[in-house]
Amino acid sequence: MRMERVADFIHDSYATTLTTGDIIMGFDIPAPKAPFRWGFAKVARKSGAFAHSIAIATSQGKDGPISVVLGAAGPRPRPMTATATQLAVLGSSEEQLRAAIAADLDAHFTDLDAYQNECTRRTSCAP
C-alpha cells in the first residue's frame, strides 16, 4: 500500500502514477478548521460541454488562506498564486485582480500565439 499527494499522482490528462494491478482504495481530505468557502467559474462553448477552462477558489474562514487553481486548460491543474494573493488583499480593485490573473496566465502559458494569448483573457473565442 502506498500514499501519494494528488500533485504527485497526476502527471497529465488521463495519466497518473497508477500501474497495472493498482487499485485506488480511498483518499483523505482533511476537514477544514474553519468554515470553508468556495466558488468556481467554467468557460465552455455551450452548457453541459467539457470546459475549456475552469477556475476554483477556496478559502478557510473569513481571513483564512486562499487558494486558486486553474484546470482543464492544459495537461494538469495549475496554481494561480498571484490571483490568490490579490484576492486576500482587502479592497482590491477589479483592475488589480485582472492584472494578477494575467500574471498567472503569463507564467503558465508561455508558448501561446497572439490569438491564443488573447483568448486566455476572454470568456470565449471564435473557432
Side-chain angles (χ1 to χ4, degrees), residues 15-16 19 23 28 37 39 41 44 72 75 88 97:
T16 66
T19 60
I23 298 173
D28 293 325
R37 298 172 179 204
L97 183 56

Side-chain angles (χ1 to χ4, degrees), residues 4-74:
E4 294 181 72
R5 294 179 43 223
V6 169
D8 298 329
F9 176 71
I10 299 171
H11 284 229
D12 202 343
S13 298
Y14 308 107
T16 66
T17 60
L18 288 176
T19 60
T20 303
D22 284 349
I23 298 173
I24 298 174
M25 300 297 291
F27 53 91
D28 293 325
I29 300 174
K33 295 179 174 81
F36 195 74
R37 298 172 179 204
W38 64 275
F40 76 97
K42 173 183 169 182
V43 177
R45 283 199 181 274
K46 58 185 177 179
S47 180
F50 281 108
H52 294 289
S53 66
I54 186 168
I56 300 169
T58 63
S59 172
Q60 290 187 24
K62 185 176 179 182
D63 299 318
I66 295 173
S67 176
V68 181
V69 176
L70 178 67

